[in-house]
């Protein structure tokens, strides 16, 4: 990194990082056991306390903002498990996002990196048309026989990291017709109790479309009229975490405008990673007075779908499934940012026929973290192997989670364990709908 870039980064840290928040860290070390990268590395710089010290050192001018500093900030998963255990309540995630954004805005990337970032952050995720086209391509890859041919020829073995195994975790994606015919309004089954606006997401409404449909069905069963604002888009989480804060702000504003017109009692998310940013739009837009009140009104309505199901007493229904052992893997952002951990477990325990087994360190990150399992494959796989050791102790047949990244990561863990024949991973919404439909077909109350 040249001297001009280093100077610009230091100035950016001084201007944008909250120095009081940096000073708020007492260096007590309570965050160390909760940090997945510290657990793997046992190195102070790979901990929240250490990374805050690096940021403060840059601001104070005693540490050069060099490649080593950038490396440690990049190595963080952003799981924010350090925040609930911090006695001082340090908002580490906010500091990390600001630091990354400063570095990315001041750094001169090589052309290939610039092109990839431009495609991902400005081309693919902000534009649902592009996202749908990508998934149509995946659909034809899966349905044309090409996937079978590629796997048979073992072509994917030439790919770096764990991409060959990741390809095996991809769900069967919906076809072009299904992608085009998405609902914008659905009525409650029976007397409506609440009007909710559903945040459909980008990956969730393409690769995981069936899970979105399952979630909306559950909400309707619970007595919700469901509105799906057609002008909504990507939540911006990948941008906010990846040093593209201005684009994250643009996406946030577009979503606020789209949901304001819905007039709903609540805004529902079924993906912990998306929900965690939605609920912090007021922080993201804190420096824009004209958006502050609108952002606060938006975030005050954001809820995870499990919280609404509990509020509307969905767990009182007669739900059942064939006998199986089930464990639950917390979505980091759902638990650590949205504060939702009890509702999913209540819903699981309400299902007759399953034996719920709490996983040791269920709140420990699985190592997915957006695209972290691609960009930081070695660290991600070390964290995943640690997680799968805890899964083995539960002897579970089914791993349930509530975030698409976690779901793919747990499927990857099952593949790496060679356990596909005896274990599966499933999103909580799909699992609950299975229970509702199974009970209905068995003669129970729907």
């Amino acid at each position: 990194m040249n001297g001009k870039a280093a100077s610009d980064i230091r100035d950016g840290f001084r201007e944008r990082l909250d120095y009081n928040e940096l000073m708020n860290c007492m260096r007590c070390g309570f965050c160390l056991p909760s940090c997945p990268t510290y657990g793997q590395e046992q190195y102070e710089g790979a901990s929240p306390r250490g990374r805050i010290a690096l940021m403060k050192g840059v601001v104070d001018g005693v540490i050069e903002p060099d490649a080593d500093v950038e490396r440690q900030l990049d190595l963080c998963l952003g799981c924010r498990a350090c925040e609930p255990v911090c006695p001082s309540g340090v908002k580490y995630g906010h500091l990390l996002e600001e630091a990354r954004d400063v570095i990315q805005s001041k750094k001169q990337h090589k052309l290939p990196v610039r092109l990839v970032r431009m495609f991902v952050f400005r081309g693919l995720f902000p534009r649902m048309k592009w996202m749908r086209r990508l998934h149509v391509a995946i659909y034809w890859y899966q349905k044309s026989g090409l996937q079978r041919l590629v796997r048979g020829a073992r072509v994917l073995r030439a790919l770096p990291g764990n991409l060959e195994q990741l390809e095996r975790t991809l769900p069967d994606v919906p076809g072009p017709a299904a992608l085009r015919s998405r609902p914008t309004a659905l009525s409650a089954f029976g007397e409506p109790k609440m009007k909710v606006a559903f945040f459909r997401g980008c990956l969730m409404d393409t690769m995981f479309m069936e899970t979105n449909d399952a979630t909306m069905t559950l909400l309707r069963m619970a007595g919700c009229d469901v509105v799906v604002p057609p002008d909504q888009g990507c939540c911006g989480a990948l941008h906010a975490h990846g040093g593209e804060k201005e684009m994250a702000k643009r996406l946030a504003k577009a979503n606020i405008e789209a949901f304001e017109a819905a007039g709903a009692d609540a805004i529902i998310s079924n993906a912990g990673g998306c929900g965690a940013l939605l609920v912090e739009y007021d922080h993201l837009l804190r420096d824009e007075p004209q958006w502050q009140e609108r952002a606060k009104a938006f975030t005050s309505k954001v809820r995870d779908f499990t919280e609404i199901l509990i509020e509307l007493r969905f767990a009182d229904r007669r739900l059942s499934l064939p006998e199986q052992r089930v464990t639950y893997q917390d979505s980091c952002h759902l638990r650590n940012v949205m504060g939702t951990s009890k509702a999913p477990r209540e819903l699981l325990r309400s299902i007759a026929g399953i034996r719920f087994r709490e996983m040791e360190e269920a709140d420990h990150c699985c190592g997915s973290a957006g695209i972290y399992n691609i960009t930081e494959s070695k660290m991600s796989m070390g964290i995943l192997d640690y997680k799968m050791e805890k899964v083995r102790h539960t002897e579970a047949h089914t791993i349930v989670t509530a975030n698409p990244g976690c779901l793919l990561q747990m499927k990857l863990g099952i593949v790496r364990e060679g356990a596909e024949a005896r274990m599966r991973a499933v999103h909580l919404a799909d699992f609950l709908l299975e229970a509702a439909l199974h009970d209905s077909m068995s003669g129970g109350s729907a």
Side-chain angles (χ1 to χ4, degrees):
M1 188 179 298
N2 62 46
K4 175 68 164 59
S7 176
D8 288 346
I9 289 172
R10 182 179 294 108
D11 290 344
F13 273 35
R14 287 171 175 167
E15 179 183 345
R16 292 176 50 184
L17 267 63
D18 186 336
Y19 197 76
N20 289 330
E21 198 71 20
L22 291 171
M23 289 294 293
N24 203 21
C25 175
M26 302 187 301
R27 316 291 191 263
C28 64
F30 280 22
C31 59
L32 301 184
S34 70
C35 178
T37 54
Y38 180 79
Q40 291 290 309
E41 299 279 279
Q42 293 296 301
Y43 170 63
E44 181 70 18
S47 72
R49 178 177 70 178
R51 291 181 178 116
I52 289 174
L54 290 175
M55 295 180 218
K56 184 176 179 297
V58 171
V59 173
D60 291 341
V62 297
I63 292 178
E64 188 75 8
D66 56 15
D68 290 337
V69 171
E70 182 182 359
R71 176 65 187 145
Q72 284 306 327
L73 297 182
D74 284 346
L75 198 61
C76 178
L77 293 110
C79 69
R80 296 173 68 168
C82 50
E83 293 186 14
V85 300
C86 178
S88 301
V90 175
K91 294 296 184 183
Y92 169 80
H94 296 165
L95 292 170
L96 178 69
E97 288 175 7
E98 289 293 342
R100 283 177 170 172
D101 191 61
V102 170
I103 291 172
Q104 292 303 325
S105 66
K106 306 298 183 184
K107 183 179 178 181
Q108 288 297 316
H109 290 291
K110 294 181 180 179
L111 180 61
V113 176
R114 291 205 305 271
L115 292 175
V116 169
R117 289 183 66 88
M118 185 180 298
F119 171 72
V120 172
F121 291 120
R122 299 180 183 275
L124 182 61
F125 280 91
R127 293 178 170 86
M128 281 302 294
K129 285 184 179 179
W130 285 31
M131 186 68 72
R132 291 192 178 105
R133 286 170 185 165
L134 172 64
H135 282 80
V136 168
I138 296 174
Y139 170 81
W140 288 115
Y141 166 73
Q142 293 177 332
K143 300 301 180 184
S144 66
L146 181 59
Q147 183 182 53
R148 187 168 59 253
L149 181 65
V150 167
R151 288 180 176 180
R154 299 186 176 181
V155 173
L156 297 176
R157 286 191 171 186
L159 295 176
N162 56 3
L163 289 176
E164 180 189 12
Q165 292 177 323
L166 278 170
E167 190 271 346
R168 291 170 60 184
T169 70
L170 292 177
D172 290 333
V173 303
L179 287 168
R180 286 192 299 266
S181 58
R182 301 304 292 144
T184 56
L186 297 164
S187 299
F189 297 140
E191 187 69 24
K193 303 174 185 175
M194 179 183 289
K195 180 182 179 182
V196 301
F198 183 62
F199 184 79
R200 65 189 178 197
C202 39
L203 280 177
M204 288 304 299
D205 213 49
T206 47
M207 185 177 293
F208 298 97
M209 183 186 292
E210 289 186 0
T211 301
N212 267 5
D213 290 342
T215 306
M216 289 186 282
T217 299
L218 293 171
L219 291 168
R220 297 169 73 193
M221 285 179 171
C224 294
D225 285 337
V226 181
V227 178
V228 188
D231 294 331
Q232 63 178 292
C234 174
C235 67
L238 195 64
H239 303 78
H241 305 327
E244 295 283 343
K245 189 175 179 182
E246 287 307 311
M247 179 57 75
K249 287 182 176 182
R250 286 171 56 184
L251 293 169
K253 292 171 185 177
N255 282 324
I256 290 170
E257 289 181 332
F259 279 85
E260 282 175 337
D265 303 309
I267 298 168
I268 306 301
S269 168
N270 64 353
C274 296
L277 188 70
L278 297 177
V279 83
E280 290 196 333
Y281 273 1
D282 56 342
H283 174 78
L284 183 65
L285 299 171
R286 68 192 183 282
D287 295 327
E288 303 197 27
Q290 68 274 29
W291 283 93
Q292 261 296 287
E293 291 306 314
R294 298 171 73 178
K296 286 179 180 177
F298 178 94
T299 58
S300 69
K301 292 185 176 183
V302 176
R303 307 279 299 280
D304 184 68
F305 82 102
T306 59
E307 297 283 1
I308 292 295
L309 293 183
I310 290 295
E311 181 180 321
L312 298 180
R313 306 185 68 84
F314 188 85
D316 292 348
R317 303 168 66 89
R318 292 179 57 191
L319 305 172
S320 68
L321 282 172
E323 184 176 338
Q324 58 191 288
R325 290 185 294 273
V326 175
T327 195
Y328 179 70
Q329 162 62 20
D330 283 287
S331 156
C332 291
H333 287 104
L334 181 61
R335 183 183 184 112
N336 299 328
V337 182
M338 297 187 74
T340 299
S341 61
K342 183 179 178 182
R345 290 168 168 82
E346 283 188 33
L347 290 164
L348 287 172
R349 290 191 174 101
S350 73
I351 302 173
I354 75 165
R355 285 178 285 166
F356 180 75
R357 294 193 172 179
E358 187 68 61
M359 186 196 314
E360 184 183 356
E361 296 186 69
D363 58 345
H364 189 279
C365 185
C366 65
S368 172
I371 58 173
Y372 187 95
N373 57 3
I374 298 174
T375 60
E376 300 289 349
S377 176
K378 182 179 178 181
M379 178 64 77
S380 175
M381 293 305 98
I383 294 169
L384 177 58
D385 290 343
Y386 181 82
K387 173 61 65 175
M388 292 307 296
E389 179 184 342
K390 306 302 180 184
V391 171
R392 283 197 298 274
H393 293 162
T394 69
E395 299 181 323
H397 302 109
T398 304
I399 308 169
V400 178
T401 189
N403 188 59
C406 300
L407 179 59
L408 290 178
Q409 186 80 338
M410 299 316 296
K411 287 185 175 183
L412 178 58
I414 292 171
V415 168
R416 286 168 62 83
E417 294 274 312
E420 294 108 311
R422 65 177 187 275
M423 188 185 298
R424 65 170 179 156
V426 63
H427 191 285
L428 178 56
D430 297 307
F431 195 66
L432 288 171
L433 188 59
E434 277 184 40
L437 295 180
H438 178 270
D439 189 67
S440 177
M441 290 185 290
S442 301
S445 171

